Amino acid sequence: PLPAQPAAAPEPLPRVLEPEVAAAACTDEEVAGGSLGESQFRFEMAMDGCGNDKLAEGMRAFVADTLKLDAAMRQKLGR
């Protein structure tokens, strides 16, 4: 698949996003203040049926669209 190509590139990929910068820019008190840990987030996400279902639906749609894009690019590039 196409995402494997960057991993096989001989030169290192430049880092574009920095976690420290993103964390410093976060204005959400629960997240930025550290009061919401991963286990609590996972619990709350699991308890929110709509959020859980919509997240899964979005992920499935993203994968399906990615596969379509991959196929279209392969056809366009003749691979």
Side-chain angles (χ1 to χ4, degrees):
L2 290 174
Q5 288 177 342
E11 65 278 345
L13 295 174
R15 183 176 202 119
V16 178
L17 302 175
E18 295 293 338
E20 296 81 16
V21 174
C26 182
T27 59
D28 186 318
E29 274 303 312
E30 281 192 21
V31 176
S35 62
L36 183 64
E38 181 180 354
S39 61
Q40 184 65 30
F41 171 81
R42 288 180 180 271
F43 175 76
E44 289 184 24
M45 188 66 181
M47 296 307 293
D48 182 356
C50 182
N52 199 21
D53 293 348
K54 285 296 183 183
L55 176 62
E57 180 183 321
M59 291 173 74
R60 286 190 295 272
F62 178 80
V63 170
D65 288 346
T66 301
L67 294 174
K68 287 180 199 173
L69 177 61
D70 184 57
M73 290 176 70
R74 287 182 185 280
Q75 183 179 18
K76 184 93 170 164
L77 298 173
R79 295 183 186 183

